[in-house]
């Protein structure tokens, strides 16, 4: 088995990407896009416009000044956005990928780039919910991009011309780092966005699965998606093959209020576990020894219970409640709220909480959801009880919708619009209001226009995804008078819980990212070996299982003719002829067409032991073959041999030594008699 | 190992489906239904056969319910709450959501209207449903260490599943009720090609073969339309879920198209509530419905209203869906009592009516009066329409499924004996699969698949996966076949796992030294004409390929030739020990010194004889 981590990713919206070689099959796990890199582009409408690019003939002093000063919106690239894909993925030949596993909708966003390749022929697996939500997200991305094109005008260059302007010294290093990468070789990873047709043809190649559904690839690998709890339909993978079992565990959430919980029981006791939860590194948690002390617990149930404590999930609810209260406060003060979060589970929960809190208060503010896929996504969310957490499944049993937004939409408290310029939007528009609008990068979609509208209003509130404000995200909107609330929701396994999880799952071999291994001491975990992997370095793991198993069909096994050995009584041996098949990940021997049953000649073809010439002569005598023995000593340490000259019934001789016996005659009957005699002396098969 | 299939209900009959299958020691109960046509103790399956002591928890590993119809789930609260079974119960998400409605509806009808004593209470239903573990399609569930179950889409009603169960190497499928064709709101049954020891199939329509159902849908719509156009009232007795929604979709759609304003009623709030479930469970409906649901949810019926008791005698036409189906009791029967005497009215009976119900009486023949359960007689002058499309598969569907799965054995349940017997004959004769039709209380035992597990050596596996191509020139085409056979030696040692090795490895496994037994002979050959050594070898190889049948590939190189393990090379020695009789003095004779292994014993002699002939 070989693992290459192609990208560590960055948080929820940019999951890690791995290439795995298992049982001779090449498996790509996730194919994300680095959408945070979109922030290098300038959003539209741009105050400065294209003229900003005429700055190449500045004098050197100005250039120098530009290096030292703070970045301004003019520094951003004013062009139709390109998209940053996984750099090293392009180095792999697409036709050599056998399987693609997609763990969540974010991991799907880059896939159309791969499936565009006519040589691409891998089987793609993802959960039904991931496929549906992922497709909607891609469609939304395409439609927001098209909107941008409409305003900006199309550029059909197949070369990212805008990078030419970024070579200069005066370009801020933040920008350069994103565009060219730290080593300066990221340029090849920039791609033009795919089209709706690309998305459609990509999705046609997908085989969707349910949680815990076993799909069999090529008769050899049994692949199973198990809920990761991160968001609706997100999963970890379990792969069983003839050479052992492997689990791929990525960012997971133990107790969720929207999605099905992290199903870790199904991942117990695998031969290899690949852990790729990178988001645990984002929080500055101190990982001292107190977390290790919990491992002394040996009871699986208590370990599981300690993982499932609801402290975390309560914390998440508090965060949501806080967002709600902030939004309500702004509304009270007459300000609007813009929520750019697009994590499906969080949006659904927030929508539910906000509308319920408005309902119960005297506030009368409308909620708008502006997205080309809002209607479909919200309708879909109420038809998938199987993918949701238990409390929401209970709602199905009592005949209530899984998420409460349905009745608010009916009562016109929540308004859905595909775009800002939708015909009915202006008639129902009313401020203050609360708006859910993509895209979280603040470069595409309705969030841009709304932010430009409200940025000067100190009463309004902007709710952001984590990590946006620290980078270039807010640059084009500065100065901002709006209140800004940056939310960091739980998006993975906490570092403290990781050792406890490991002592429950007990993998034989554990593969962890080097960065995680540095942060936490895993030496106390009872695992045969812990290997750490780093980005873009191939890690080879030796053979997992000691011996491969083979299953022999009972009907075939009963037909075997067993041989007892003269020398070794504990052994029984039998020749077996059958058809070797690989089905459901198991190697099997089944009865073939040409059965050589007991009726066939049972002549031994392999022999072992030695032949004493005297014994052989005696045996031959009984078959009335007569001869005489001559012993020859070996010369110069060579082996000695004995020769039996056969005189009757016809001529011939037998040479016998430690190594073997040769029958030399031209008489077939004599030869077969001699062979029979030898067969009677030696053990053979 | 064997699989025992004990039929507790629905053996050679329809009603109270319940089959208990023992696979390698694990007992699984499929369905736990009640018989709608029985009022006595025969209503429930005879659970006492399973355990005399009443300790079902230790006997039964799990109960799996295929769908929410009363004849499949009706006895479950009785079994869990009254008989005291506490183990796991599995059913699909829709079945878990909808079963309580069905059970509660039925309980109310039985107790409130017919005044029967309660066999289980509302509280029983609630606590029974709490024990249910929901299943998703194709989700593979490990019930315990050995038992694995998986559900497949069955189509019959919303949430109906077929169940695959596997213990060790033995596997079975219990179909429950299924439909092999797509209908108005549900898809057709869908299952993987599985390796099965036993298939337990329903056989409601074991001898009927149906064509397209569109003409029959039209017949139904026209019958209803004719009735309301003539000012009559149409009564459609049906259970709360399933047929009611399907027929209502049909009518609602027709009403829209024909712009009919006659009201369609649902008899109780219950069915309207059921529509709510249908809307949420859209992922279990047909592809067509799923695709359209964002813009128009087909379970948002536009023309449907709630029915009030006072409307029974209201003038004017209407269509009424009333529970329960089969006119076995309750509100539908009450309405029937009032509406049946008028020739303007219509009773449309969907689906199968169990023997003993009023519905069954109406369907078998054209009675002018009907006895109700409490002894009152009702004149029947209204029209009777039997809805001739059914969510059950027909005989062709059963045959198709059986052919597709090719199980080693098949057991038929849930059907009428005569037609089941003729289907059995058909299956045995056409598909050559042993088929059983057990009656209630009978057990069928069949053998199960087992595999012997062994370790395989790398060399063996490598040799196994090497292709073994055979090329044959048949007439004009070159045919290539891969005749790969696994040829190895199975070695067992006391108290150790068996080991599968290649024959070359046997001695190593046994810690012995190989002893090669071979044959050798220095064979005289005659030189024809003036040919050199290379020419001689050519001549010989031609000769061999002509006369020796199994000599496929002959390799020649200068003064040697090789066929399989047979090696021959021109012998230049004056006196070879392997030579017999003839001396080398004759100039026209050359010698080919040959040796071959015992594996190619016959081949070797064949070649020697061929060369001798040449002499």
């Amino acid at each position: 088995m070989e693992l290459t981590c192609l990208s560590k990713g960055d948080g929820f919206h940019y999951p890690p990407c791995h290439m795995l070689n298992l049982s001779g099959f090449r498996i790509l796990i996730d194919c994300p896009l680095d959408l945070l890199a979109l922030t290098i582009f300038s959003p539209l409408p741009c105050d400065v416009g294209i003229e900003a690019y005429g700055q190449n003939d500045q004098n050197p002093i100005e250039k120098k000044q530009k290096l030292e000063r703070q970045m301004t919106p003019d520094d951003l690239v004013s062009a139709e956005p390109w998209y940053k894909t996984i750099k090293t993925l392009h180095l792999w030949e697409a036709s050599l990928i056998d399987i693609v596993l997609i763990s969540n909708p974010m991991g799907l966003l880059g896939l159309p780039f791969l499936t565009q390749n006519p040589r691409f022929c891998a089987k793609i697996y993802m959960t039904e919910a991931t496929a549906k939500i992922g497709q909607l997200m891609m469609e939304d991305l395409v439609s927001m991009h098209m909107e941008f094109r409409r305003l900006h005008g199309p550029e059909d260059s197949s070369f990212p011309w805008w990078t030419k302007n970024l070579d200069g010294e005066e370009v801020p290093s933040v920008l350069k780092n994103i565009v060219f990468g730290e080593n300066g070789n990221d340029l090849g990873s920039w791609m033009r966005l795919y089209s709706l047709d690309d998305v459609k043809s990509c999705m046609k190649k997908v085989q969707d699965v349910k949680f815990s559904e076993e799909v069999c690839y090529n008769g050899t690998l049994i692949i199973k998606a198990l809920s990761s709890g991160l968001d609706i339909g997100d999963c970890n993978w379990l792969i069983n093959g003839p050479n052992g079992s492997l689990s791929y565990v990525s960012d997971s959430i133990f107790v969720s209020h929207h999605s099905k919980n992290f199903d870790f029981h199904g991942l117990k006791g695998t031969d290899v576990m690949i852990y790729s939860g990178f988001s645990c590194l984002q929080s500055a948690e101190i990982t001292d020894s107190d977390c290790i002390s919990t491992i002394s617990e040996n009871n699986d149930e208590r370990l599981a219970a300690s993982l499932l404590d609801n402290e975390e999930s309560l914390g998440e609810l508090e965060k949501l409640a806080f967002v709600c209260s902030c939004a309500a406060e702004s509304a009270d003060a007459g300000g609007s709220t813009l929520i750019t979060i697009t994590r499906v589970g969080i949006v659904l929960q927030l929508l539910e909480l906000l509308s319920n809190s408005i309902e119960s208060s005297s506030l009368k503010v409308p909620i708008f959801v502006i997205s080309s896929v809002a209607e479909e996504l919200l309708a879909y969310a109420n038809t998938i009880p199987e993918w949701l957490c238990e409390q929401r499944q209970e709602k199905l049993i009592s005949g209530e919708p899984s998420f409460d937004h349905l009745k608010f939409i009916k009562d016109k408290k929540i308004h859905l619009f595909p775009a800002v310029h939708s015909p009915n939007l202006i008639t129902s528009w009313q401020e203050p209001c609360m708006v859910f609008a993509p895209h979280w990068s603040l470069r595409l979609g309705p969030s841009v226009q709304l932010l430009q509208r409200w940025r000067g209003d100190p009463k309004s509130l902007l709710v952001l995804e984590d990590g946006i404000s620290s980078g270039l995200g807010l640059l084009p909107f500065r100065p901002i008078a709006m209140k800004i609330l940056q939310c960091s929701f739980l998006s993975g396994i906490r570092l403290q819980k990781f050792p406890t999880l490991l002592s429950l799952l007990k993998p034989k071999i554990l593969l962890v990212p080097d960065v995680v291994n540095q942060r936490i001491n895993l030496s106390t975990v009872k695992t045969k070996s812990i290997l750490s992997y780093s980005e873009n370095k191939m890690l080879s793991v030796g053979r997992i299982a000691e011996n491969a198993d083979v299953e022999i069909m009972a009907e075939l096994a009963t037909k075997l003719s067993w041989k007892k050995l003269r020398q070794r009584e504990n052994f029984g041996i039998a020749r077996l002829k059958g058809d070797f098949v690989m089905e459901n990940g198991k190697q099997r021997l089944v009865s073939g067409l040409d059965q050589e049953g007991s009726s066939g000649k049972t002549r031994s073809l392999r022999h072992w032991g030695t032949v004493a010439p005297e014994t052989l002569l005696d045996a031959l005598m009984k078959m009335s073959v007569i001869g005489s023995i001559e012993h020859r000593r070996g010369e110069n340490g060579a082996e000695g041999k004995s020769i039996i000259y056969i005189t009757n019934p016809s001529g011939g001789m037998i040479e016998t030594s430690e190594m073997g016996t040769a029958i030399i005659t031209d008489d077939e009957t004599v030869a077969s008699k001699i062979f029979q005699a030898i067969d009677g002396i030696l053990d053979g098969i | 190992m064997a699989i025992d299939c004990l039929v507790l209900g629905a053996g050679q009959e329809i009603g109270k489906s319940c089959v208990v299958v023992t696979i390698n020691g694990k007992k699984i109960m499929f369905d736990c239904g009640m018989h709608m046509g029985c009022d006595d103790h025969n209503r429930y399956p005879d659970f006492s056969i399973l355990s005399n002591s009443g300790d079902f928890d230790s006997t039964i590993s799990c109960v799996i319910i295929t769908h929410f119809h009363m004849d499949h789930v009706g006895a479950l609260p009785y079994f869990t709450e009254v008989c005291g079974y506490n183990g796991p119960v599995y059913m699909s998400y829709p079945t878990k959501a909808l079963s309580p409605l069905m059970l509660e509806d039925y309980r109310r009808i039985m107790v409130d209207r017919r005044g029967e004593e309660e066999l289980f209470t509302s509280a029983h239903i609630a606590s029974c449903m709490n024990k249910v573990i929901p299943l998703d399609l194709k989700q593979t569930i490990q019930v315990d260490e050995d038992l694995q179950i998986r559900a497949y889409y069955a189509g019959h009603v919303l949430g109906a599943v077929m169940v695959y169960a596997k213990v060790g190497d033995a596997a079975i499928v219990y179909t429950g009720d299924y439909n092999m064709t797509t209908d108005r709101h549900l898809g057709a049954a869908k299952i993987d090609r599985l390796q099965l020891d036993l298939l337990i199939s329903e056989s409601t329509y074991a001898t009927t073969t149906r064509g397209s159902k569109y003409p029959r849908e039209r017949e139904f719509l026209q019958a209803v339309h004719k009735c309301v156009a003539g000012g009559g009232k149409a009564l459609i007795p049906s259970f709360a879920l399933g047929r009611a929604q399907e027929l209502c979709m049909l009518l609602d759609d027709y009403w829209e198209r024909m712009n009919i304003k006659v009201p369609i009623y649902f008899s109780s709030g219950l069915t309207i509530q059921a529509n709510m479930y249908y809307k949420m469970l859209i992922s279990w409906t047909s592809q067509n419905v799923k695709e359209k649901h964002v813009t128009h949810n087909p379970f948002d019926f536009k023309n449907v209203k709630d029915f009030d008791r006072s409307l029974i005698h209201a003038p004017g036409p209407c269509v009424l869906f009333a529970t329960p189906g089969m006119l076995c009791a309750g509100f539908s029967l009450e309405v029937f009592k009032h509406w049946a005497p008028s020739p303007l009215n219509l009773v449309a009976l969907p689906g199968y009516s169990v023997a003993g119900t009023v519905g069954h009486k109406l369907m078998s023949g054209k009675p002018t009066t009907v006895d109700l359960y409490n002894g009152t007689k009702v004149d029947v002058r209204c029209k009777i329409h039997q809805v001739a499309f059914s969510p059950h598969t027909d005989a062709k569907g059963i045959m198709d499924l059986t052919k597709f799965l090719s199980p080693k054995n098949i057991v038929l349940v849930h059907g009428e004996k005569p037609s089941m017997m003729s289907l059995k004959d058909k299956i045995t004769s056409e598909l050559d699969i042993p088929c059983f039709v057990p009656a209630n209380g009978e057990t069928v035992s069949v053998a199960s698949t087992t595999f012997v597990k062994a370790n395989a050596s790398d060399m063996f596996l490598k040799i196994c996966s090497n292709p073994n191509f055979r090329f044959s020139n048949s007439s004009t085409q070159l045919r290539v076949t891969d005749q790969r056979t696994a040829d190895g030696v199975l070695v067992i040692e006391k108290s150790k796992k068996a080991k599968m090795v290649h024959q070359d490895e046997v001695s190593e496994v046994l810690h012995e030294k190989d002893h090669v037994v071979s044959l050798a002979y220095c064979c005289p050959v005659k030189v024809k004409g003036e040919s050199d050594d290379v020419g001689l070898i050519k001549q010989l190889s031609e000769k061999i390929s002509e006369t020796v049948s199994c000599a496929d590939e002959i390799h020649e190189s200068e003064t040697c030739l090789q066929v399989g393990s047979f090696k021959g090379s021109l012998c230049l020695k004056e006196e070879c020990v392997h030579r017999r009789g003839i001396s080398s003095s004759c100039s026209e004779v050359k010698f080919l010194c040959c040796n071959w292994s015992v594996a190619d014993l016959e081949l070797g002699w064949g070649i020697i004889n061929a060369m001798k002939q040449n002499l």
Side-chain angles (χ1 to χ4, degrees), chain A residues 156-174:
Chain A
D156 287 319
S157 162
S158 57
F159 174 76
W161 56 271
W162 44 269
T163 56
K164 280 192 283 187
N165 300 324
L166 298 171
D167 278 349
E169 272 176 37
E170 74 279 10
V171 178
S173 60
V174 187

Side-chain angles (χ1 to χ4, degrees), chain A residues 171-221:
Chain A
V171 178
S173 60
V174 187
L175 219 57
K176 274 188 175 171
N177 259 349
I178 296 176
V179 177
F180 303 111
E182 271 158 32
N183 304 320
N185 53 5
D186 277 10
L187 194 56
S189 62
W190 289 92
M191 305 276 277
R192 296 176 64 85
L193 191 63
Y194 37 78
S195 67
L196 268 187
D197 286 340
D198 292 328
V199 174
K200 258 190 210 124
S201 80
C202 169
M203 294 314 289
K204 262 189 206 145
K205 297 185 174 114
V206 168
Q207 179 173 351
D208 52 21
V209 298
K210 307 260 187 184
F211 281 149
S212 303
E213 177 180 345
E214 288 182 349
V215 283
C216 188
Y217 176 80
N218 205 13
T220 315
L221 299 179

Side-chain angles (χ1 to χ4, degrees), chain A residues 128 210-214 224 260 375-376 379-380 382-387 393-402 406 410 543 547-555 557 560 562 565 567-580 583 586-590 594 601 603-611 645 651-653 655-668 671 675 678 682 685, chain B residues 93-94 96-97 100 130 134-142 148 150 166 169 192 195 273 276-277 279-284 293-295 297 300 408 449-458 460-461 464-465 484-494 497 499-500 502-504 506-507 509-522 577-580 596 598-602 605-606 608-609 612:
Chain A
E128 246 177 57
K210 307 260 187 184
F211 281 149
S212 303
E213 177 180 345
E214 288 182 349
K224 204 159 139 179
K260 209 165 187 163
E375 193 188 358
E376 202 173 335
Y380 179 68
N382 267 330
T383 60
I384 45 168
E386 299 92 335
W387 302 88
Q393 284 185 4
E394 285 303 313
K395 289 179 119 184
L396 163 77
I397 306 302
S398 53
E400 294 168 44
S402 319
L406 208 63
K410 245 186 202 147
R543 195 165 170 158
N547 262 310
D549 276 339
V550 67
E551 294 188 342
I552 303 156
M553 200 184 219
E555 283 90 331
L560 298 178
W562 290 97
L565 298 180
Q567 312 290 332
R568 294 172 186 270
E569 284 183 354
N570 283 345
F571 282 93
I573 57 173
R575 254 178 204 284
L576 190 150
K577 210 169 195 177
D579 273 356
F580 183 76
E583 43 185 27
K586 287 189 178 115
Q587 294 166 329
R588 281 181 175 160
L589 287 168
V590 297
D594 52 339
K601 310 137 285 184
R603 188 176 72 212
S604 297
L605 301 177
R606 293 289 142 132
H607 295 92
W608 47 90
T610 45
V611 182
Y645 293 101
M653 67 189 230
E655 277 181 21
T656 179
S657 70
E658 288 260 304
M659 302 291 293
T661 303
I663 304 163
I664 301 143
T665 175
D666 61 342
D667 189 330
E668 242 185 283
F675 182 71
I678 294 170
L682 291 173
I685 186 81
Chain B
Y93 280 91
K96 179 170 180 183
N130 269 335
L135 273 179
D136 201 356
L137 288 178
K138 291 198 173 180
Q139 182 187 4
T140 307
I141 289 197
Q142 207 74 39
Q148 201 180 59
R150 195 183 304 153
K166 185 181 157 194
D169 298 316
D192 294 335
Q195 286 181 343
Q273 191 194 344
M276 182 70 214
Y277 286 97
K279 277 189 249 172
M280 273 191 278
L281 294 164
I282 211 93
S283 61
W284 292 74
H293 91 275
V294 176
T295 45
N297 196 318
D300 273 329
K408 298 217 177 77
T449 312
T450 39
F451 284 95
V452 182
K453 300 192 177 44
N455 284 330
S457 76
D458 290 341
F460 172 72
L461 290 177
C464 282
S465 37
R484 209 179 292 201
T485 46
D487 193 353
V489 177
L490 190 64
V491 181
I492 50 164
E493 192 180 347
K494 257 182 199 162
K497 198 171 175 185
K499 211 167 178 186
M500 193 73 207
H502 187 254
Q503 57 180 9
D504 289 349
V506 179
S507 52
V509 174
L510 296 171
H511 315 291
E512 291 275 7
K513 256 191 172 165
D514 263 330
H515 189 95
V516 185
V517 181
S518 61
L519 293 99
Y521 178 54
C522 195
V577 285
H578 297 169
R579 228 168 266 168
R580 292 284 114 200
W596 64 99
V598 278
D600 288 320
L601 193 66
E602 288 80 11
W605 286 121
I608 295 288
N609 288 334
K612 271 186 181 168

Side-chain angles (χ1 to χ4, degrees), chain A residues 225-368:
Chain A
L226 294 167
S227 176
S228 74
L230 186 61
D231 209 336
I232 297 169
D234 293 5
C235 66
N236 293 312
W237 296 96
L238 181 69
I239 308 173
N240 273 301
N243 299 326
S245 56
L246 178 141
S247 55
Y248 173 82
V249 181
S250 190
D251 287 332
S252 304
I253 293 178
F254 287 102
V255 182
S256 166
H257 286 280
H258 42 84
S259 316
K260 209 165 187 163
N261 288 345
F262 178 22
D263 181 0
F264 50 85
H265 293 289
L267 300 165
K268 276 184 192 165
T270 52
D271 292 316
V272 177
M273 170 173 161
I274 301 172
Y275 181 69
S276 77
F278 287 94
S279 64
C280 60
L281 300 167
Q282 294 190 326
S283 55
E285 282 165 6
I286 312 144
T287 45
D288 49 10
S289 55
D290 69 321
C291 59
I292 310 295
S293 61
T294 54
I295 305 171
S296 55
E297 188 67 73
N298 280 322
N299 185 327
D300 274 11
E301 278 171 34
R302 260 180 270 167
L303 278 174
S306 79
L307 290 172
L308 291 171
D309 66 0
N310 52 6
E311 190 189 322
E312 265 177 10
S313 64
L314 287 179
E316 291 302 292
L317 284 185
E318 272 170 29
K319 283 180 209 167
L320 288 170
F322 181 69
V323 175
C324 275
S325 68
C326 289
E329 258 172 48
S330 332
D332 261 338
S336 296
T337 303
L338 172 62
I339 300 165
T340 62
I341 293 169
T342 40
R343 285 175 65 168
V344 177
I346 304 278
V347 168
L348 290 170
Q349 272 182 288
L350 261 182
L351 206 52
E352 191 175 77
L353 273 172
L354 276 175
S355 30
N356 276 319
S357 77
I358 291 172
E359 183 85 345
S360 58
S361 75
S362 55
L363 272 174
K364 286 287 162 275
V365 278
I367 297 176
F368 295 94

Side-chain angles (χ1 to χ4, degrees), chain B residues 150-398:
Chain B
R150 195 183 304 153
Y152 289 96
Y153 194 74
H156 175 66
V157 285
L158 194 76
V161 292
M162 303 187 185
V163 186
Y164 167 80
K166 185 181 157 194
V167 180
D169 298 316
I172 69 151
V173 160
Y174 175 83
T175 64
D177 294 354
Y178 62 102
N179 190 1
M180 294 293 278
T181 50
T182 313
D183 78 10
R184 203 128 285 258
H185 69 301
L186 297 171
K190 208 176 159 198
I191 193 162
D192 294 335
R193 207 180 279 269
L194 301 158
Q195 286 181 343
L196 299 179
D197 294 302
L198 175 66
L199 172 71
I200 305 168
S201 172
E202 69 132 323
S203 49
T204 320
Y205 294 96
T207 47
T208 341
T209 307
R210 292 186 300 254
S212 161
K213 57 191 209 168
Y214 293 105
R216 287 187 304 273
E217 283 185 4
R218 203 159 47 235
E219 264 171 45
F220 163 74
L221 290 170
Q222 276 162 358
V224 176
H225 191 182
K226 205 172 132 197
C227 164
V228 293
K233 293 173 162 59
L235 170 67
I236 306 170
S238 82
F239 288 99
L241 302 154
R243 297 318 296 284
Q245 279 74 21
E246 188 194 352
L247 296 178
C248 196
M249 269 174 89
L250 208 59
L251 281 176
D252 198 55
D253 192 45
Y254 188 74
W255 255 227
E256 288 283 294
R257 272 189 290 130
M258 306 300 279
N259 200 17
I260 301 171
K261 295 288 172 226
V262 177
I264 301 174
Y265 294 114
F266 268 17
S267 73
S268 56
L270 180 97
T271 327
I272 297 268
Q273 191 194 344
N275 292 343
M276 182 70 214
Y277 286 97
Y278 270 75
K279 277 189 249 172
M280 273 191 278
L281 294 164
I282 211 93
S283 61
W284 292 74
T285 57
S286 71
Q287 199 58 37
N288 188 19
V289 173
K290 262 190 268 187
E291 277 161 17
K292 283 194 297 194
H293 91 275
V294 176
T295 45
H296 168 61
N297 196 318
F299 298 107
D300 273 329
F301 300 125
K302 292 186 189 69
N303 302 290
V304 175
K305 299 182 183 85
D306 271 330
F307 191 72
D308 187 83
R309 188 171 293 273
S310 65
L311 291 167
I312 295 180
H313 299 292
C318 70
V319 178
L320 171 66
F321 284 89
T323 57
M326 306 183 194
L327 291 173
C328 55
F331 190 64
S332 63
L333 194 64
E334 194 187 327
V335 176
F336 174 75
K337 209 158 60 188
H338 295 293
W339 289 4
S342 164
L344 286 178
N345 295 345
L346 169 81
V347 175
L349 288 159
Y352 186 87
S353 288
V354 166
T357 59
V358 173
H360 188 257
K361 284 175 206 159
L362 291 177
M363 283 220 252
S364 44
K366 288 223 179 305
T368 47
T369 55
V370 162
D371 282 330
L372 300 188
Y373 298 104
N374 47 15
T376 50
K377 282 184 197 253
V378 168
D379 288 334
V380 181
R381 284 193 213 96
C382 67
K383 290 185 248 358
I384 308 290
H385 179 86
Q386 190 185 349
V387 178
F389 48 95
S390 157
H392 287 275
T393 178
D394 62 357
K396 187 177 172 300
I398 301 173

